Amino acid sequence: MTYTAVYCSENIAMPFYLLSIYVFVRYYKNKRNFLYIILCGLILGIGHLFRMVGDVILIAYIMFILIYIKDNIFNKSKFAVGLVIAFLVPMLSVNAILKELKITQYNLWRGSETKLTSVLRGSNMDTFGRWNMEDAKFIASFDDDKELEAAIKQKLKERYTQTPLKSLFILYLKILHTVGCR
């Protein structure tokens, strides 16, 4: 019996998120040292590079600072702004390096596909909104985002206007059943 390691982005990000929480608790316990808040933001920003949910933790930190820290508004603002800037430094630095080296053409916070591609895939009646080769080939056939977006809108319009209402209703019931909204 052997075990093959799986390096998922969440497995890499989690230690950074947990370390960030630990440093934030140390910041709170140690009379709110500004260096702790900077370190907390940097660690959180590094974790955010691997799994982009760090902004949720960042909002929780800011809310905690604003609600529970018994200090004047200037110091609360100083800590919150320091945290946000430290959080952004890793993302902006890595983003600039990757774009300069031509490793990526998109910013890290922007996906390479338009948001309509998910809508298109979810509207396929034959696969009940799941991934399918037909839509994947259709999306891959375009190089320009503007052309792709226009073609997706046209295809969505055709799907929703030419499909009988009963079939649309069945599609959405099956999608709701699949995701567990019973």
Side-chain angles (χ1 to χ4, degrees), residues 12-30:
I12 298 170
M14 191 55 70
F16 290 106
Y17 289 152
L18 293 174
L19 183 59
S20 171
I21 293 169
Y22 173 77
V23 172
F24 188 80
V25 170
R26 294 291 305 238
Y27 148 78
Y28 182 67
K29 296 276 186 190
N30 291 340

Side-chain angles (χ1 to χ4, degrees), residues 113-170:
E113 292 183 338
T114 65
K115 292 181 180 14
L116 283 176
T117 57
S118 295
V119 176
L120 178 69
R121 288 185 188 117
S123 69
N124 193 306
M125 307 296 162
D126 299 329
T127 61
F128 301 112
R130 294 187 186 108
W131 183 90
N132 60 82
M133 187 58 79
E134 174 192 345
D135 289 339
K137 286 180 181 178
F138 175 77
I139 292 166
S141 67
F142 291 90
D143 290 331
D144 183 37
D145 284 347
K146 289 182 181 180
E147 289 178 15
L148 173 62
E149 197 166 319
I152 288 175
K153 285 179 182 178
Q154 180 61 36
K155 193 162 188 127
L156 285 171
K157 184 178 179 182
E158 290 171 8
R159 281 186 181 172
Y160 286 120
T161 57
Q162 296 176 2
T163 303
L165 194 56
K166 181 181 177 185
S167 298
L168 282 174
F169 186 71
I170 291 170

